[in-house]
């Protein structure tokens, strides 16, 4: 099992600013099996990015993913008010799928 | 449209048994892995396990192995999560979710989610 550590815990930014969220794995991620989810209060998570950098269906292009090995990044290029949420990374592998502890993005 | 409709909230006592459900529609039930994810109050997401309804192949996280059972019923296109003896620490929201790709191996993200079933275990 791969342990994922997300940073920062909370990010407080203004609309229009760029958000950079980090996800560090304890072991190298194989097959680029790294995803990002967005979760708003009272809602289930929503898949944003899979296979490190592929956007899921219907996800705006202001969301992008990058990285390799053990270090990965979710970037929101221009924050919109509706981007206020908790973001989780996930490493999905054979028979398991660990999540990071989450980064909360707050809009000022 | 693919939908995962979960059963309603439950209030149970420690030691009681429970089976919650996730009824799927809009896709070929036997072709997609379906998983369960726990979210304790105010906490993050925890991957519990997955099942492939085509042959009932089931995989569990080490953290949940032996404490819960995941099953599937082809006739009703429904996946279940059950406990034989609940503990207070099982209090959480439980989400079912579908893997993104059909037939693909066990490594895949979840692209469609149910709205969650709240389970409260309290004496």
């Amino acid at each position: 099992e791969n342990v994922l550590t997300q940073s920062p815990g909370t990010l407080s930014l203004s609309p229009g600013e760029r958000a950079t969220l980090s996800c560090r794995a304890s072991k190298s991620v194989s097959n680029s099996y790294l995803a990002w989810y967005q979760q708003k209060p009272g809602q289930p998570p929503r898949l944003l990015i899979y296979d490190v950098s592929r956007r899921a269906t219907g996800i705006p292009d202001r969301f992008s993913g990058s990285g390799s090995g053990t270090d990965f990044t979710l970037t929101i290029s221009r924050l919109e008010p509706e981007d206020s949420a908790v973001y989780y990374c996930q490493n999905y592998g054979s028979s398991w799928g660990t999540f990071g502890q989450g980064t909360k993005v707050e809009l000022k | 449209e693919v939908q995962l409709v979960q059963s309603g909230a439950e209030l149970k006592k420690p030691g009681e048994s429970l089976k919650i459900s996730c009824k799927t529609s809009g896709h070929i039930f036997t072709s997609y892995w379906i998983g369960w994810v726990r979210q304790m109050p105010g906490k993050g997401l925890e991957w519990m396990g997955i099942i492939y309804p085509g042959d009932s192949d089931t995989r569990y996280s080490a953290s949940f192995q032996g404490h819960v059972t995941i099953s599937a019923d082809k006739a009703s296109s429904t996946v279940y999560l059950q406990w034989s003896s609940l503990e207070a620490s099982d209090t959480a929201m439980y989400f079912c979710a579908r893997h993104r790709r059909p037939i693909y191996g066990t490594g895949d993200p979840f692209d469609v989610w149910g709205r969650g079933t709240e389970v409260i275990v309290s004496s």
Side-chain angles (χ1 to χ4, degrees):
Chain A
E1 184 177 306
N2 209 343
V3 177
L4 302 180
T5 302
Q6 293 186 238
S7 62
T10 302
L11 204 49
S12 186
L13 295 168
S14 299
E17 288 193 300
R18 182 186 191 91
T20 303
L21 287 66
S22 172
C23 176
R24 177 162 290 178
S26 61
K27 295 181 283 190
S28 184
V29 171
S30 58
N31 301 312
S32 299
Y33 281 172
L34 194 286
W36 291 91
Y37 299 84
Q38 175 194 67
Q39 187 181 32
K40 298 180 180 180
Q43 296 185 18
R46 178 173 71 145
L47 178 65
L48 298 175
I49 301 287
Y50 65 95
D51 294 353
V52 175
S53 60
R54 298 179 183 272
R55 271 188 299 277
T57 303
I59 301 304
D61 61 7
R62 66 178 184 274
F63 291 93
S64 63
S66 62
S68 64
T70 59
D71 290 300
F72 300 88
T73 300
L74 174 70
T75 301
I76 311 172
S77 59
R78 297 170 306 280
L79 280 165
E80 301 279 349
E82 62 266 28
D83 298 334
S84 179
V86 178
Y87 293 81
Y88 296 94
C89 58
Q90 183 203 16
N91 177 205
Y92 41 96
S94 178
S95 307
W96 48 268
T98 51
F99 292 93
Q101 83 279 18
T103 289
K104 184 175 184 179
V105 173
E106 297 179 334
L107 268 70
K108 296 177 183 175
Chain B
E1 180 194 4
V2 178
Q3 289 191 308
L4 277 62
V5 179
Q6 297 189 232
S7 50
E10 301 276 1
L11 175 59
K12 307 292 281 186
K13 290 181 166 50
E16 292 185 333
S17 62
L18 176 64
K19 191 173 188 177
I20 62 175
S21 66
C22 171
K23 184 171 177 58
T24 77
S25 62
H27 72 175
I28 300 173
F29 179 67
T30 51
S31 295
Y32 288 82
W33 289 85
I34 301 286
W36 288 95
V37 174
R38 183 175 79 174
Q39 188 166 40
M40 299 175 78
K43 302 299 183 183
L45 306 173
E46 298 175 89
W47 190 95
M48 300 177 70
I50 50 174
I51 187 166
Y52 188 73
D55 60 6
S56 292
D57 186 3
T58 309
R59 314 292 174 89
Y60 294 95
S61 162
S63 300
F64 294 93
Q65 176 89 46
H67 187 57
V68 298
T69 301
I70 297 172
S71 60
D73 176 43
K74 293 180 187 177
S76 62
S77 299
T78 302
V79 173
Y80 298 96
L81 178 67
Q82 69 180 88
W83 296 258
S84 60
S85 181
L86 286 160
E87 302 170 2
S89 58
D90 294 318
T91 294
M93 181 72 79
Y94 293 88
F95 295 100
C96 63
R98 189 197 77 165
H99 269 189
R100 195 181 71 84
R101 287 168 277 213
I103 306 172
Y104 199 72
T106 52
D108 216 29
F110 295 122
D111 73 333
V112 182
W113 293 69
R115 297 205 60 81
T117 295
E118 184 179 23
V119 174
I120 299 174
V121 184
S122 174
S123 54

